[in-house]
Amino acid sequence: MDYLTPLQNLLNKTSKHPDKVFLHQPINRKWRLFTWAEVELQARCIASGIKAQGYETGARIGILSKNCAEWFIADLAIMMAGMISVPIYTTAGRSSISYIIKHGDLKAIFVGKLDNTQYADESIGDEILRVALPYPTITAQAQWNDWLTEFPPLQDIHMPDIDDVLTIVYTSGTTGAPKGVVVSHKNFAAAVQNTATLLELKETDRSLSYLPLAHVTERSLVEAESLYVGNEVFFVESLDTFVDDLKHCKPTFFLSVPRLWSKFQSEILVKIPQKKLNTLLKLPLIGKLVAYKIRSALGLQHARGFGSGTAPISVSILEWYHRLGISISEAWGMSETSGLSCANFPFVKEHLGTIGFPADCIEMKLSEEKEILIRGDAVFKEYYLDPKLTNESFTDGWLHTGDCAQINSEGVYQIIGRIKEQFKTAKGKYVAPVPIESLLGVNHDLEQVCVMGSGLKQPIAIVVLAEGRQRKNSQLIKELEDTLKLVNDQLENHLKLDYLLVCTEHWTIENKLLTPTMKLKRNEIEKQYEPLLEQEQKNKILWEEDLLQLDH
């Protein structure tokens, strides 16, 4: 396959339709539209500003901002200037920001919309040039709009070779310091072009950019795909305007994460209780109308494809959405594989709970330990400044992903957890938590679930109720007991759950119990709740507040 870089794609699209609208940016509830020609022009001006600083080719330039049109443009400008982009999560704390700046030896950083400006302000030293995007942000030595007028468009832009480094993606990390994944233009192009073919993307498609652009999924499946395909991209102004912005966009493809799919489900069930919804959906004409109205209320009535990734999602949730005409394809990939590597797409209902078939641009197989091994054009070559970790991660050219899976007779892959997530109970039995967590998803009142039990006689499940669900009433307790029995009846003896512990607060990125991509930080969750698990319990449903009172 002939691979194209993002800059080649940009120039092709600008040449083809310079006045076509590319980006839609909401600002104070008004939509600012960027054409392809304007995106290229702004990128050239910003690239000229970067070049004027005298940095060497290949210097690392950071981007620390929530998603916006200028994020895309800054990324393109860094490429045009011959530099390497280093995105940073907006939810990163002081230590992570400081580590990435120092480890990546960043020379400058584009800063934009942030929920917490304090960490960025304290972590970015005076020796780093700050360039402020045109939104409220931290103090900066240079302003985006000033650069657009001060610097002429860069005429002789850098056109990278396909094997050159495109970006260094620092993993969010559930444990330890972030790792710098060195991604080449070829890696990115392989993943992007394969995905565009697989999903049959068109110039007339619309996508919403709201998941973190610092993560390879959003950057590959939304930013890079739009450059390759030529479709329009809409941004979200804030968390409060998310639903309105989603409805305005009316995406034709919509990608989300399990946490948000679960949240959408909870909000729907607050308005239409499950029993009533079941009754309505069984009625031939009314059922279709109700399903359409629910899709429309979410802004998804025009979507022909749906995806879920970054973490496992319960089969029960997938089945629930399928009844509404929202057939979610579960997908799998890593920063190290530059985006999508395996997906249940085209959607096959019989493959619910699986990640489907491997992409054409890579090869996958299982080791004797059932770990997914992967190689191909989309797979990265090294961790930045860490040859030891790089060598440990590859065997004969195959990358060790750390994910365990099983393959059925059709060649369909199903993730069964991470190698490092498995724990041993006091009985010496190993437990993989993800399949058990998936079974608990049958109860729609459970929004978050973490199975743990290292050193305990049996595994236990820590759960968080959906927002708005009343706590401790007899009906809820009975439903939770029924769910526990239903799940345990499907498990071997050493896997049966001893009890459910219902937590008081949701796990969030802010309280450090979720990664920026909303994966469970299992070690942090375990650390927080382990003190409550020291005593043997007789009841099957426990409440965090009750255990805390006993502890005091």
Side-chain angles (χ1 to χ4, degrees), residues 515-532:
T515 71
T517 53
M518 299 189 184
K519 293 178 185 175
L520 299 179
K521 283 193 171 182
R522 293 181 184 273
N523 58 325
E524 295 297 328
I525 293 172
E526 290 177 11
K527 191 188 303 180
Q528 178 158 322
Y529 296 104
E530 268 178 348
L532 302 178

Side-chain angles (χ1 to χ4, degrees), residues 67-115:
N67 300 17
C68 59
E70 289 80 8
W71 206 111
F72 279 27
I73 297 169
D75 197 17
L76 292 164
I78 293 168
M79 296 178 216
M80 288 180 174
M83 312 297 170
I84 296 171
S85 60
V86 181
I88 302 175
Y89 286 100
T90 59
T91 52
R94 294 184 192 88
S95 59
S96 292
I97 297 172
S98 298
Y99 176 85
I100 292 170
I101 288 173
K102 184 177 180 181
H103 188 262
D105 189 22
L106 303 193
K107 302 301 181 186
I109 185 165
F110 289 92
V111 289
K113 291 193 285 187
L114 303 168
D115 286 334

Side-chain angles (χ1 to χ4, degrees), residues 208-374:
L208 185 75
S209 178
Y210 71 100
L211 297 173
L213 275 164
H215 190 269
V216 75
T217 300
E218 182 77 0
R219 197 146 166 235
S220 174
L221 270 69
V222 178
E223 181 194 1
E225 287 293 351
S226 66
L227 290 165
Y228 181 72
V229 176
N231 61 279
E232 295 178 60
V233 178
F234 295 71
F235 295 91
V236 171
E237 186 163 15
S238 69
L239 185 61
D240 292 337
T241 67
F242 175 82
V243 174
D244 288 339
D245 295 338
L246 177 58
K247 289 180 181 179
H248 178 81
C249 170
K250 297 182 180 67
T252 51
F253 269 90
F254 185 71
L255 174 69
S256 197
V257 295
R259 171 85 172 93
L260 290 180
W261 283 121
S262 179
K263 200 170 182 62
F264 293 157
Q265 180 192 45
S266 299
E267 291 170 356
I268 292 167
L269 291 176
V270 166
K271 297 175 181 176
I272 310 178
Q274 188 65 61
K275 286 184 179 179
K276 182 178 180 181
L277 182 60
N278 289 341
T279 301
L280 292 172
L281 291 176
K282 287 177 183 176
L283 302 174
L285 293 176
I286 293 176
K288 287 186 177 181
L289 180 61
V290 168
Y292 178 78
K293 285 188 173 181
I294 291 173
R295 294 198 302 274
S296 298
L298 294 172
L300 300 177
Q301 68 270 37
H302 296 292
R304 68 178 191 277
F306 308 88
S308 181
T310 77
I313 185 169
S314 167
V315 175
S316 298
I317 291 179
L318 296 175
E319 291 173 338
W320 186 88
Y321 274 105
H322 182 66
R323 294 184 67 199
L324 298 176
I326 299 175
S327 298
I328 301 171
S329 297
E330 197 169 356
W332 175 89
M334 307 169 64
S335 300
E336 289 85 346
T337 67
S338 315
L340 181 68
S341 298
C342 199
N344 179 24
F345 197 93
F347 176 83
V348 178
K349 185 178 185 298
E350 289 71 29
H351 295 165
L352 278 179
T354 78
I355 55 170
F357 297 99
D360 289 340
C361 60
I362 52 91
E363 296 176 79
M364 279 171 53
K365 68 178 184 178
L366 297 185
S367 70
E368 291 183 2
E369 294 76 27
K370 295 193 174 181
E371 180 185 11
I372 296 176
L373 305 180
I374 189 169

Side-chain angles (χ1 to χ4, degrees), residues 428-542:
K429 298 288 189 178
Y430 281 100
V431 176
V434 169
I436 304 174
E437 291 163 357
S438 180
L439 291 175
L440 285 165
V442 70
N443 188 326
H444 302 145
D445 289 327
L446 303 181
E447 193 168 304
Q448 296 173 298
V449 179
C450 180
V451 170
M452 55 185 284
S454 179
L456 300 179
K457 64 174 185 177
Q458 289 290 133
I460 61 114
I462 307 174
V463 301
V464 178
L465 296 177
E467 287 184 19
R469 192 64 170 94
Q470 187 179 350
R471 298 173 66 83
K472 284 192 175 182
N473 64 69
S474 56
Q475 181 184 347
L476 174 62
I477 293 172
K478 175 68 165 58
E479 289 172 356
L480 292 176
E481 289 173 341
D482 290 345
T483 298
L484 181 61
K485 183 178 185 307
L486 178 67
V487 170
N488 277 342
D489 285 347
Q490 301 174 66
L491 297 172
E492 295 180 35
N493 286 336
H494 72 281
L495 299 176
K496 292 183 186 298
L497 296 169
D498 202 8
Y499 56 83
L500 304 183
L501 170 60
V502 185
C503 298
T504 305
E505 295 182 351
H506 278 75
W507 307 330
T508 65
I509 299 168
E510 289 71 29
N511 62 25
K512 310 299 182 185
L513 299 180
L514 296 181
T515 71
T517 53
M518 299 189 184
K519 293 178 185 175
L520 299 179
K521 283 193 171 182
R522 293 181 184 273
N523 58 325
E524 295 297 328
I525 293 172
E526 290 177 11
K527 191 188 303 180
Q528 178 158 322
Y529 296 104
E530 268 178 348
L532 302 178
L533 311 178
E534 294 173 354
Q535 303 294 325
E536 278 202 33
Q537 303 293 338
K538 294 181 180 178
N539 294 330
K540 292 301 180 183
I541 310 299
L542 306 177

Side-chain angles (χ1 to χ4, degrees), residues 24-32 34 70 113 134-135 237:
H24 299 249
Q25 176 64 51
I27 303 173
N28 297 325
R29 304 319 299 144
K30 293 184 179 179
W31 288 89
R32 163 90 160 86
F34 293 76
E70 289 80 8
K113 291 193 285 187
Y135 305 98
E237 186 163 15

